[in-house]
Short mmCIF file of all heavy atoms in Angstrom, two decimals:
data_model
loop_
_atom_site.label_atom_id
_atom_site.label_comp_id
_atom_site.label_asym_id
_atom_site.label_seq_id
_atom_site.Cartn_x
_atom_site.Cartn_y
_atom_site.Cartn_z
N MET A 407 30.83 -18.67 -6.99
CA MET A 407 32.18 -19.06 -6.46
C MET A 407 32.49 -20.49 -6.83
O MET A 407 33.59 -20.82 -7.20
CB MET A 407 32.13 -18.83 -4.99
CG MET A 407 33.44 -18.85 -4.30
SD MET A 407 33.13 -18.43 -2.58
CE MET A 407 32.16 -19.81 -2.15
N ILE A 455 37.69 -32.18 -2.48
CA ILE A 455 37.22 -31.49 -1.27
C ILE A 455 35.89 -30.76 -1.60
O ILE A 455 34.90 -30.85 -0.87
CB ILE A 455 38.21 -30.40 -0.81
CG1 ILE A 455 39.49 -31.08 -0.26
CG2 ILE A 455 37.63 -29.50 0.26
CD1 ILE A 455 40.58 -30.08 0.09
N LEU A 456 35.93 -30.09 -2.74
CA LEU A 456 34.77 -29.28 -3.12
C LEU A 456 33.56 -30.18 -3.38
O LEU A 456 32.42 -29.89 -2.90
CB LEU A 456 35.14 -28.47 -4.41
CG LEU A 456 34.19 -27.34 -4.72
CD1 LEU A 456 34.19 -26.34 -3.62
CD2 LEU A 456 34.67 -26.69 -6.03
N ASP A 459 32.16 -31.62 -0.18
CA ASP A 459 31.36 -30.58 0.56
C ASP A 459 29.99 -30.35 -0.10
O ASP A 459 29.01 -30.30 0.62
CB ASP A 459 32.11 -29.22 0.44
CG ASP A 459 33.18 -29.07 1.53
OD1 ASP A 459 33.31 -29.96 2.32
OD2 ASP A 459 33.87 -28.05 1.56
N ASN A 522 36.99 -32.96 8.78
CA ASN A 522 36.86 -31.58 8.23
C ASN A 522 37.71 -30.58 9.00
O ASN A 522 38.31 -29.71 8.36
CB ASN A 522 35.35 -31.14 8.43
CG ASN A 522 34.58 -31.13 7.18
OD1 ASN A 522 35.19 -30.92 6.12
ND2 ASN A 522 33.31 -31.39 7.25
N LEU A 523 37.68 -30.68 10.30
CA LEU A 523 38.49 -29.71 11.13
C LEU A 523 39.98 -29.88 10.87
O LEU A 523 40.67 -28.92 10.77
CB LEU A 523 38.18 -29.93 12.61
CG LEU A 523 36.71 -29.62 13.00
CD1 LEU A 523 36.55 -29.75 14.53
CD2 LEU A 523 36.30 -28.17 12.62
N VAL A 524 40.45 -31.15 10.79
CA VAL A 524 41.84 -31.40 10.52
C VAL A 524 42.19 -30.93 9.12
O VAL A 524 43.24 -30.25 8.95
CB VAL A 524 42.22 -32.86 10.77
CG1 VAL A 524 43.68 -33.10 10.37
CG2 VAL A 524 41.99 -33.32 12.21
N ASN A 525 41.36 -31.14 8.15
CA ASN A 525 41.65 -30.70 6.76
C ASN A 525 41.75 -29.21 6.78
O ASN A 525 42.62 -28.66 6.11
CB ASN A 525 40.53 -31.19 5.85
CG ASN A 525 40.72 -32.61 5.37
OD1 ASN A 525 41.90 -33.11 5.34
ND2 ASN A 525 39.62 -33.25 5.03
N ASN A 526 40.84 -28.52 7.47
CA ASN A 526 40.91 -27.06 7.53
C ASN A 526 42.20 -26.60 8.20
O ASN A 526 42.87 -25.69 7.73
CB ASN A 526 39.73 -26.43 8.31
CG ASN A 526 38.51 -26.29 7.44
OD1 ASN A 526 38.60 -26.43 6.23
ND2 ASN A 526 37.40 -25.93 8.02
N ALA A 527 42.56 -27.27 9.31
CA ALA A 527 43.77 -26.91 9.98
C ALA A 527 44.99 -27.06 9.06
O ALA A 527 45.86 -26.19 9.05
CB ALA A 527 43.97 -27.87 11.24
N VAL A 528 44.98 -28.10 8.26
CA VAL A 528 46.05 -28.24 7.26
C VAL A 528 46.05 -27.12 6.23
O VAL A 528 47.12 -26.55 5.97
CB VAL A 528 45.89 -29.66 6.56
CG1 VAL A 528 46.86 -29.75 5.36
CG2 VAL A 528 46.19 -30.78 7.52
N ARG A 529 44.85 -26.82 5.78
CA ARG A 529 44.76 -25.78 4.72
C ARG A 529 45.11 -24.40 5.20
O ARG A 529 45.60 -23.53 4.37
CB ARG A 529 43.33 -25.78 4.17
CG ARG A 529 43.00 -26.98 3.31
CD ARG A 529 41.51 -27.24 3.23
NE ARG A 529 40.86 -26.26 2.38
CZ ARG A 529 39.53 -26.05 2.43
NH1 ARG A 529 38.79 -26.67 3.36
NH2 ARG A 529 38.99 -25.19 1.63
N TYR A 530 44.77 -24.10 6.42
CA TYR A 530 44.98 -22.73 6.91
C TYR A 530 46.18 -22.59 7.84
O TYR A 530 46.22 -21.71 8.70
CB TYR A 530 43.68 -22.25 7.61
CG TYR A 530 42.50 -22.23 6.61
CD1 TYR A 530 41.49 -23.20 6.75
CD2 TYR A 530 42.43 -21.29 5.63
CE1 TYR A 530 40.43 -23.19 5.85
CE2 TYR A 530 41.39 -21.31 4.69
CZ TYR A 530 40.38 -22.22 4.82
OH TYR A 530 39.36 -22.23 3.92
N SER A 531 47.17 -23.49 7.65
CA SER A 531 48.43 -23.28 8.42
C SER A 531 49.60 -23.69 7.51
O SER A 531 49.46 -24.34 6.53
CB SER A 531 48.42 -24.12 9.66
OG SER A 531 48.40 -25.49 9.36
N VAL A 552 40.75 -29.69 17.93
CA VAL A 552 41.69 -29.67 16.84
C VAL A 552 42.38 -28.32 16.85
O VAL A 552 41.74 -27.27 16.69
CB VAL A 552 40.98 -29.94 15.48
CG1 VAL A 552 42.00 -29.86 14.32
CG2 VAL A 552 40.24 -31.29 15.48
N ASP A 554 45.47 -25.76 15.53
CA ASP A 554 46.53 -25.48 14.59
C ASP A 554 47.24 -24.23 14.97
O ASP A 554 46.81 -23.44 15.83
CB ASP A 554 45.96 -25.39 13.16
CG ASP A 554 45.11 -24.13 13.01
OD1 ASP A 554 45.61 -23.02 13.09
OD2 ASP A 554 43.87 -24.34 12.69
N GLY A 556 48.23 -21.84 12.76
CA GLY A 556 48.27 -21.19 11.44
C GLY A 556 47.83 -19.72 11.47
O GLY A 556 48.05 -19.00 12.44
N MET A 557 47.00 -19.36 10.48
CA MET A 557 46.66 -17.95 10.23
C MET A 557 45.73 -17.38 11.30
O MET A 557 45.69 -16.12 11.51
CB MET A 557 46.11 -17.74 8.89
CG MET A 557 44.83 -18.57 8.63
SD MET A 557 44.23 -18.36 6.92
CE MET A 557 43.99 -16.64 6.87
N GLY A 558 44.88 -18.19 11.94
CA GLY A 558 43.98 -17.67 12.94
C GLY A 558 42.77 -17.02 12.27
O GLY A 558 42.73 -16.81 11.06
N ILE A 559 41.77 -16.66 13.11
CA ILE A 559 40.53 -16.14 12.60
C ILE A 559 40.17 -14.84 13.43
O ILE A 559 40.23 -14.89 14.66
CB ILE A 559 39.41 -17.18 12.71
CG1 ILE A 559 39.78 -18.42 11.99
CG2 ILE A 559 38.07 -16.59 12.20
CD1 ILE A 559 38.98 -19.64 12.44
N ASP A 563 34.78 -12.81 12.80
CA ASP A 563 34.44 -13.93 11.91
C ASP A 563 34.19 -15.21 12.62
O ASP A 563 33.66 -16.17 12.08
CB ASP A 563 35.61 -14.16 10.90
CG ASP A 563 35.62 -13.12 9.81
OD1 ASP A 563 34.54 -12.71 9.38
OD2 ASP A 563 36.74 -12.65 9.43
N ARG A 566 30.62 -16.49 12.67
CA ARG A 566 30.00 -16.55 11.30
C ARG A 566 30.54 -17.68 10.44
O ARG A 566 29.89 -18.09 9.48
CB ARG A 566 30.20 -15.18 10.61
CG ARG A 566 29.53 -14.07 11.44
CD ARG A 566 29.66 -12.71 10.76
NE ARG A 566 28.84 -12.67 9.57
CZ ARG A 566 28.96 -11.75 8.64
NH1 ARG A 566 29.86 -10.83 8.77
NH2 ARG A 566 28.19 -11.76 7.55
N ILE A 567 31.73 -18.11 10.68
CA ILE A 567 32.31 -19.16 9.89
C ILE A 567 31.49 -20.47 9.91
O ILE A 567 31.65 -21.32 9.08
CB ILE A 567 33.81 -19.52 10.18
CG1 ILE A 567 33.98 -19.76 11.66
CG2 ILE A 567 34.75 -18.40 9.73
CD1 ILE A 567 35.37 -20.31 12.03
N PHE A 568 30.62 -20.56 10.95
CA PHE A 568 29.80 -21.75 10.98
C PHE A 568 28.50 -21.59 10.15
O PHE A 568 27.68 -22.51 10.05
CB PHE A 568 29.42 -22.13 12.42
CG PHE A 568 30.63 -22.51 13.24
CD1 PHE A 568 31.29 -21.57 14.04
CD2 PHE A 568 31.13 -23.79 13.18
CE1 PHE A 568 32.41 -21.91 14.76
CE2 PHE A 568 32.27 -24.15 13.90
CZ PHE A 568 32.93 -23.20 14.72
N ASP A 569 28.27 -20.41 9.62
CA ASP A 569 27.11 -20.16 8.77
C ASP A 569 27.30 -20.78 7.38
O ASP A 569 28.43 -20.88 6.87
CB ASP A 569 26.91 -18.64 8.49
CG ASP A 569 26.43 -17.97 9.78
OD1 ASP A 569 26.09 -18.67 10.76
OD2 ASP A 569 26.36 -16.73 9.76
N TYR A 571 27.69 -21.15 3.60
CA TYR A 571 28.29 -20.37 2.53
C TYR A 571 29.29 -19.31 3.05
O TYR A 571 29.74 -18.56 2.23
CB TYR A 571 27.27 -19.61 1.62
CG TYR A 571 26.14 -20.53 1.15
CD1 TYR A 571 24.85 -20.05 1.17
CD2 TYR A 571 26.32 -21.83 0.65
CE1 TYR A 571 23.79 -20.82 0.71
CE2 TYR A 571 25.32 -22.57 0.22
CZ TYR A 571 24.01 -22.10 0.25
OH TYR A 571 23.00 -22.84 -0.20
N TYR A 572 29.49 -19.23 4.32
CA TYR A 572 30.41 -18.18 4.83
C TYR A 572 31.86 -18.54 4.62
O TYR A 572 32.34 -19.54 5.12
CB TYR A 572 30.12 -17.85 6.30
CG TYR A 572 30.81 -16.55 6.67
CD1 TYR A 572 30.20 -15.34 6.39
CD2 TYR A 572 32.01 -16.56 7.34
CE1 TYR A 572 30.84 -14.11 6.71
CE2 TYR A 572 32.62 -15.34 7.69
CZ TYR A 572 32.07 -14.21 7.39
OH TYR A 572 32.63 -12.97 7.70
N ARG A 573 32.57 -17.62 3.96
CA ARG A 573 34.01 -17.83 3.78
C ARG A 573 34.68 -16.50 4.05
O ARG A 573 34.11 -15.43 3.88
CB ARG A 573 34.43 -18.18 2.33
CG ARG A 573 33.82 -19.48 1.84
CD ARG A 573 34.66 -19.98 0.70
NE ARG A 573 35.94 -20.45 1.17
CZ ARG A 573 37.11 -20.35 0.49
NH1 ARG A 573 37.10 -19.73 -0.65
NH2 ARG A 573 38.21 -20.91 0.98
N ILE A 574 35.87 -16.56 4.56
CA ILE A 574 36.67 -15.33 4.78
C ILE A 574 37.44 -15.12 3.50
O ILE A 574 38.01 -16.05 2.95
CB ILE A 574 37.60 -15.52 6.01
CG1 ILE A 574 36.77 -15.84 7.23
CG2 ILE A 574 38.38 -14.25 6.20
CD1 ILE A 574 37.63 -16.33 8.38
N ASN A 575 37.46 -13.86 3.05
CA ASN A 575 38.26 -13.60 1.87
C ASN A 575 39.69 -13.45 2.29
O ASN A 575 40.13 -12.51 2.96
CB ASN A 575 37.82 -12.25 1.24
CG ASN A 575 36.78 -12.49 0.20
OD1 ASN A 575 36.67 -13.58 -0.33
ND2 ASN A 575 35.96 -11.48 -0.07
N HIS A 576 40.48 -14.42 1.86
CA HIS A 576 41.89 -14.37 2.30
C HIS A 576 42.71 -13.64 1.27
O HIS A 576 42.72 -13.98 0.08
CB HIS A 576 42.44 -15.80 2.43
CG HIS A 576 41.72 -16.59 3.47
ND1 HIS A 576 41.89 -16.35 4.80
CD2 HIS A 576 40.86 -17.61 3.36
CE1 HIS A 576 41.10 -17.22 5.46
NE2 HIS A 576 40.46 -17.97 4.58
N ALA A 581 44.32 -21.06 1.40
CA ALA A 581 43.46 -22.08 0.81
C ALA A 581 42.69 -21.45 -0.36
O ALA A 581 41.96 -20.53 -0.19
CB ALA A 581 42.45 -22.55 1.87
N ILE A 583 40.66 -22.88 -2.40
CA ILE A 583 39.44 -23.53 -2.82
C ILE A 583 38.58 -23.88 -1.59
O ILE A 583 39.12 -24.10 -0.51
CB ILE A 583 39.75 -24.80 -3.65
CG1 ILE A 583 38.53 -25.20 -4.39
CG2 ILE A 583 40.20 -25.97 -2.79
CD1 ILE A 583 38.81 -26.03 -5.63
N GLY A 584 37.29 -23.89 -1.74
CA GLY A 584 36.44 -24.10 -0.57
C GLY A 584 35.11 -23.46 -0.93
O GLY A 584 35.03 -22.56 -1.68
N ALA A 585 34.04 -23.99 -0.27
CA ALA A 585 32.75 -23.45 -0.55
C ALA A 585 32.03 -22.82 0.64
O ALA A 585 30.90 -22.43 0.55
CB ALA A 585 31.92 -24.56 -1.19
N GLY A 586 32.73 -22.83 1.77
CA GLY A 586 32.08 -22.28 2.93
C GLY A 586 31.01 -23.18 3.49
O GLY A 586 30.00 -22.71 4.06
N ILE A 587 31.10 -24.47 3.26
CA ILE A 587 30.09 -25.41 3.66
C ILE A 587 30.62 -26.31 4.80
O ILE A 587 29.83 -26.75 5.68
CB ILE A 587 29.73 -26.32 2.47
CG1 ILE A 587 29.08 -25.48 1.43
CG2 ILE A 587 28.76 -27.44 2.94
CD1 ILE A 587 28.83 -26.26 0.15
N GLY A 588 31.93 -26.64 4.80
CA GLY A 588 32.46 -27.59 5.72
C GLY A 588 32.11 -27.41 7.21
O GLY A 588 31.56 -28.33 7.84
N LEU A 589 32.22 -26.18 7.67
CA LEU A 589 31.90 -25.94 9.13
C LEU A 589 30.43 -25.95 9.41
O LEU A 589 29.97 -26.30 10.47
CB LEU A 589 32.57 -24.60 9.54
CG LEU A 589 34.08 -24.60 9.69
CD1 LEU A 589 34.62 -23.25 10.05
CD2 LEU A 589 34.54 -25.70 10.70
N TYR A 590 29.68 -25.53 8.39
CA TYR A 590 28.23 -25.57 8.59
C TYR A 590 27.75 -27.02 8.70
O TYR A 590 26.93 -27.33 9.61
CB TYR A 590 27.54 -24.92 7.32
CG TYR A 590 26.06 -25.25 7.22
CD1 TYR A 590 25.18 -24.64 8.06
CD2 TYR A 590 25.62 -26.17 6.27
CE1 TYR A 590 23.80 -24.96 7.92
CE2 TYR A 590 24.29 -26.47 6.20
CZ TYR A 590 23.36 -25.86 7.00
OH TYR A 590 22.06 -26.17 6.90
N VAL A 591 28.30 -27.92 7.88
CA VAL A 591 27.97 -29.31 8.03
C VAL A 591 28.43 -29.86 9.37
O VAL A 591 27.67 -30.58 10.03
CB VAL A 591 28.56 -30.13 6.82
CG1 VAL A 591 28.39 -31.63 7.04
CG2 VAL A 591 27.86 -29.74 5.49
N CYS A 592 29.65 -29.47 9.76
CA CYS A 592 30.11 -29.88 11.10
C CYS A 592 29.13 -29.50 12.19
O CYS A 592 28.75 -30.28 13.06
CB CYS A 592 31.46 -29.21 11.47
SG CYS A 592 32.78 -29.85 10.46
N VAL A 605 34.97 -22.07 18.25
CA VAL A 605 36.36 -21.89 17.97
C VAL A 605 36.95 -20.81 18.88
O VAL A 605 36.26 -19.84 19.24
CB VAL A 605 36.58 -21.48 16.45
CG1 VAL A 605 35.98 -20.14 16.14
CG2 VAL A 605 38.08 -21.53 16.10
N SER A 607 40.41 -18.44 18.81
CA SER A 607 41.44 -18.20 17.81
C SER A 607 42.08 -16.85 17.98
O SER A 607 41.48 -15.94 18.51
CB SER A 607 40.84 -18.28 16.41
OG SER A 607 41.79 -18.14 15.46
N GLY A 612 46.91 -18.91 15.48
CA GLY A 612 46.38 -20.22 15.25
C GLY A 612 44.95 -20.33 15.88
O GLY A 612 44.44 -19.39 16.48
N SER A 613 44.35 -21.53 15.63
CA SER A 613 42.94 -21.70 16.08
C SER A 613 42.79 -23.03 16.77
O SER A 613 43.44 -24.00 16.45
CB SER A 613 42.01 -21.71 14.87
OG SER A 613 42.27 -20.65 14.01
N THR A 614 41.83 -23.07 17.74
CA THR A 614 41.43 -24.32 18.36
C THR A 614 39.95 -24.54 18.21
O THR A 614 39.19 -23.72 18.69
CB THR A 614 41.85 -24.33 19.87
OG1 THR A 614 43.23 -24.08 19.92
CG2 THR A 614 41.48 -25.68 20.47
N PHE A 615 39.58 -25.50 17.47
CA PHE A 615 38.14 -25.84 17.30
C PHE A 615 37.82 -26.91 18.36
O PHE A 615 38.53 -27.86 18.52
CB PHE A 615 37.87 -26.40 15.89
CG PHE A 615 37.82 -25.26 14.86
CD1 PHE A 615 38.97 -24.79 14.27
CD2 PHE A 615 36.57 -24.80 14.46
CE1 PHE A 615 38.94 -23.81 13.36
CE2 PHE A 615 36.54 -23.79 13.50
CZ PHE A 615 37.72 -23.27 12.98
P1 LIG B 913 35.82 -23.60 3.33
O1 LIG B 913 35.59 -24.78 2.49
O2 LIG B 913 35.69 -22.30 2.64
O3 LIG B 913 37.10 -23.69 4.09
P2 LIG B 913 34.55 -23.94 5.89
O4 LIG B 913 33.13 -23.90 6.25
O5 LIG B 913 35.26 -25.20 6.22
O6 LIG B 913 34.62 -23.61 4.35
O7 LIG B 913 35.27 -22.72 6.57
C1 LIG B 913 34.70 -21.42 6.53
C2 LIG B 913 35.83 -20.39 6.63
O8 LIG B 913 36.43 -20.45 7.93
C3 LIG B 913 36.99 -20.63 5.67
O9 LIG B 913 36.77 -19.96 4.44
C4 LIG B 913 38.19 -20.07 6.45
O10 LIG B 913 38.33 -18.69 6.14
C5 LIG B 913 37.81 -20.14 7.92
N1 LIG B 913 38.49 -21.27 8.56
C6 LIG B 913 38.07 -22.56 8.83
N2 LIG B 913 38.97 -23.28 9.50
C7 LIG B 913 40.01 -22.48 9.74
C8 LIG B 913 41.27 -22.59 10.42
N3 LIG B 913 41.63 -23.74 10.97
N4 LIG B 913 42.09 -21.50 10.47
C9 LIG B 913 41.74 -20.31 9.90
N5 LIG B 913 40.58 -20.13 9.26
C10 LIG B 913 39.71 -21.17 9.14
#
Side-chain angles (χ1 to χ4, degrees):
M407 197 175 61
I455 293 177
L456 195 60
D459 274 359
N522 252 331
L523 296 181
V524 175
N525 278 333
N526 275 352
V528 169
R529 288 158 74 199
Y530 299 108
S531 66
V552 177
D554 67 62
M557 61 184 300
I559 303 161
D563 284 321
R566 301 182 69 193
I567 52 171
F568 296 96
D569 288 353
Y571 311 136
Y572 192 80
R573 297 203 72 215
I574 302 166
N575 270 336
H576 299 288
I583 198 157
I587 293 173
L589 289 178
Y590 165 75
V591 170
C592 289
V605 66
S607 184
S613 312
T614 303
F615 284 82

